[in-house]
Amino acid sequence: MAILCWAGMGLAGTCHAVELESTQASRSGSRYIVELVMVVDTPESVARTILQDPDRVVRVNDELVDVQHLPANEVGVRRFRDHTIACVWLFCVDYHNTIRMRVLDNGDIRLTVEPEKSKFKYGKFIWKIQSLGPERTRLTFYAETIPGFWVPSTGILQSRMKKGLQRMAIRMECEYRGDRICAQARWVDSTQQ
C-alpha cells in the first residue's frame, strides 16, 4: 500500500493521506484496461458530488482543460465534450472526447465515449464510491479504452493514470477541507523508499 502525503509551505507535519490500495493494468491487442483502488480522506457524499459534476472534475483534474456541456436526449444521462492534455515525459497528447455519463442504480458513475465524436475508438470508465466512515472513502476507478493515438506502453499508461488520479484525489481532499496551498504540495510515496 502506498501512502502519499503532502506538506505545504510552513505546514510541516500536516498530512493528508491518499492510500493507494491496488493498481492493475493489462493490454489485449489495442485495448487497455487499468484499475486503481485508493482511499481518500473525504466523505463519500463529497467525493460523489465532485465526480458527478464535470465542471468540478475539471477543477481537481489537471489533465482536463475544460468541458463543454451537450444536450442529452435520454433521461438520467449527461453529455459533455472534454478537452484533455496528457503528457508522459516530453510526449503529450491533446485530444477531445464526447462522453455520456450515467449514475447507475447501485451508485456507480459510468462514463462511455461516443467514438464517432472522440479521439478514443472505445472508452468505458467506472467510478465505484464506497464510504468507509464519516471522512474516509474508497474510490475504485476502472478504465477500458482503445485510444485512437499511439500509447508507448501499458506500464507508462498505468503510471500516468496512477499519478493523475493521485493528484486528483489530493485536490479533492483539498477542496473538501478548504485548503488553499495544494499548488505548493509535495508528494511522498512510501513505496518508492
Side-chain angles (χ1 to χ4, degrees), residues 124-135:
K124 175 175 72 172
F125 309 91
I126 298 174
W127 281 104
K128 293 181 180 291
I129 305 165
Q130 175 190 9
S131 176
L132 298 178
E135 292 194 0

Side-chain angles (χ1 to χ4, degrees), residues 4-7 18 163 165-171 185-189:
L4 303 162
C5 299
W6 62 266
V18 172
K163 288 177 183 172
L165 289 173
Q166 288 167 345
R167 288 190 310 266
M168 183 174 158
I170 289 294
R171 287 189 174 118
R186 184 176 62 83
W187 294 105
V188 178
D189 186 341

Side-chain angles (χ1 to χ4, degrees), residues 10-34:
L11 291 176
T14 299
C15 178
H16 294 265
V18 172
E19 300 172 26
L20 181 63
E21 293 188 331
S22 68
T23 177
Q24 299 176 22
S26 63
R27 179 181 177 185
S28 177
S30 59
R31 186 176 300 252
Y32 292 86
I33 298 174
V34 177

Side-chain angles (χ1 to χ4, degrees), residues 62-127:
D62 59 2
E63 291 182 344
L64 283 172
V65 177
D66 63 38
V67 294
Q68 174 189 5
H69 296 270
L70 303 172
N73 298 326
E74 197 176 337
V75 174
V77 172
R78 294 177 73 185
R79 290 179 69 236
F80 56 91
R81 184 161 177 79
D82 68 13
H83 177 198
T84 303
I85 299 176
C87 296
V88 177
W89 300 312
L90 298 175
F91 175 73
C92 292
V93 179
D94 184 336
Y95 61 89
H96 293 83
N97 283 322
T98 298
I99 308 284
R100 298 171 61 78
M101 181 175 68
R102 177 186 294 275
V103 177
L104 304 178
D105 290 341
N106 65 2
D108 292 354
I109 302 167
R110 184 180 69 200
L111 302 114
T112 54
V113 170
E114 295 180 6
E116 63 280 358
K117 299 174 185 168
S118 303
K119 190 67 174 186
F120 280 42
K121 296 177 182 176
Y122 174 83
K124 175 175 72 172
F125 309 91
I126 298 174
W127 281 104

Side-chain angles (χ1 to χ4, degrees), residues 170-189:
I170 289 294
R171 287 189 174 118
M172 188 181 297
E173 289 182 357
C174 291
E175 182 172 316
Y176 165 63
R177 296 184 186 289
D179 295 343
R180 305 252 184 244
I181 57 170
C182 291
Q184 301 167 10
R186 184 176 62 83
W187 294 105
V188 178
D189 186 341

Side-chain angles (χ1 to χ4, degrees), residues 137-148:
T137 302
R138 176 174 290 118
L139 301 175
T140 301
F141 177 75
Y142 174 85
E144 187 174 336
T145 62
I146 300 175

